[in-house]
Amino acid sequence: MLSNTRVLNALTALAALALVVLAVVYFAEPASSLPSWVPGHETGSAHHHVKHGIAAAVVALGLGVLVWFRTGPQAHEVAGR
Amino acid sequence: MKIDYFQSIVLGTLQGVSELFPISSLGHSVVLPHMLGWDIHQNDEYFLSFLVATHLATALVLFGFFWNDWMRILAGLGRSLRHRGIAPDDADAKLGWLLVVGTIPAGLIGLLLEHSLRNLFASPRSAAFFLMVNGVLLLGAERLRRRAPAHADGDPDTRIATELTWRSAILVGTAQALALIPGISRSGAAMGGGLRAGLSHEDAARYAFLLATPIIGAAALLKLPDLFGSAGDGVRGPALVGALFSAVSAYLAVRFLMRYLRTHTFTPFGVYCLVAGGIATVAIAVG
């Protein structure tokens, strides 16, 4: 059971990291330079999707906090009961 | 001039009151200028810049009004991050994370869909219709609400933290996003959600105001550069006056509501929305 929790925590941390990268890409790259599979990609557009970047950063932060709590001493106490 | 000083006083005062009363500020700011024959349109850049100032003023007033609560909540959030968990008896930390959990869905929906929803529903006809829908939602929330003590003793923040579950916090937070449609009230959606979750009227209003503060403030801060850019040319003076009147009316509104809702329900606001939306619909159709 504990190993499942660890896997879940690791996956959540990876997702948070990926979202941080995505947020940086949204801030740094215009819509035309985004990969075609990323929401907001528009051929020939110089628009920067700042709001998409903020959204990705907020979700990354949320997932980061979730992992922080789930790997804390209180979570271990609950898991150990 | 795009917005004159008289209009800024009327719109600022209206925004402060209607942002906090569960009657939709966005709906009123779409319907009222149309009914008064003012050449102001919801999606014009200068009007959005004007709204940034009035919203920021409202958020600051809310933050100031609940200053002590926010200080406790922020301390609770810090404590929980340090201890990497929420202690069972730490109501401030739980309330803080309930607010975070409630803010994220509304914030994300707002960030990603605000522009398209506003374009889709910004007509006065649509706003008048959704004002009536808002009335139905408020009256429905009253009828379907879980029984809660009319005015229990003790600390209100602790009561809210005890009563609200994580699931209901997400639902109440998501319901706020309905307010992206002009005519649907953010505070109304949050207050109605709070009632359904088992909060009293007073606690539902308090939670709605706490929940509204970061989202109104963040949305205003995000658009603040527009006010100081070219979109703000010609409206900065009226925007400042509008913000002042918005701040005063928001303060009076929140003070009134926190007392009124100790002993009263949301029914009068629901009836008002139905009547006002109905009158506006007829007036727009005839005019």
Side-chain angles (χ1 to χ4, degrees), chain B residues 148-257:
Chain B
H151 179 59
D153 292 328
D155 176 51
D157 290 348
T158 306
R159 282 200 304 266
I160 295 169
T162 309
E163 193 64 44
L164 274 187
T165 62
W166 297 107
R167 185 184 146 86
S168 52
I170 292 172
L171 289 176
V172 173
T174 308
Q176 278 197 114
L178 285 173
L180 292 170
I181 301 171
I184 303 288
S185 162
R186 180 198 340 271
S187 53
M191 287 175 195
L195 276 191
R196 283 284 293 132
L199 297 180
S200 67
H201 290 88
E202 184 194 359
D203 290 350
R206 176 180 284 269
Y207 183 68
F209 293 146
L210 290 172
L211 197 57
T213 309
I215 209 147
I216 300 175
L221 283 176
L222 194 63
K223 290 183 178 168
L224 199 59
D226 293 351
L227 183 62
F228 295 106
S230 59
D233 290 348
V235 290
R236 278 186 277 273
L240 184 61
V241 171
L244 285 174
F245 276 82
S246 177
V248 172
S249 64
Y251 174 76
L252 294 174
V254 69
R255 210 181 129 154
F256 168 79
L257 281 172

Side-chain angles (χ1 to χ4, degrees), chain A residues 51, chain B residues 43 45 48 110-120:
Chain A
K51 287 181 179 178
Chain B
N43 285 329
E45 286 294 320
L48 293 176
L111 277 169
L112 301 177
L113 297 181
E114 185 236 358
H115 190 69
S116 37
L117 282 177
R118 189 176 281 223
N119 280 341
L120 199 60

Side-chain angles (χ1 to χ4, degrees), chain A residues 51-52 54-55 58-59 65 68-69 71-74, chain B residues 80-81 83-87 97 104 108 111 114 222:
Chain A
K51 287 181 179 178
H52 286 59
I54 295 173
V58 166
V59 177
V65 170
W68 179 251
F69 277 180
T71 53
Q74 287 189 30
Chain B
S80 62
L81 282 173
H83 299 153
R84 301 181 74 174
I86 303 168
W97 287 112
I104 287 176
L108 289 180
L111 277 169
E114 185 236 358
L222 194 63

Side-chain angles (χ1 to χ4, degrees), chain A residues 22-46:
Chain A
L22 185 64
V24 171
V25 171
Y26 272 129
F27 288 130
E29 298 295 336
S32 59
S33 300
L34 294 172
S36 57
W37 48 269
V38 169
H41 169 82
E42 285 172 68
T43 311
S45 171

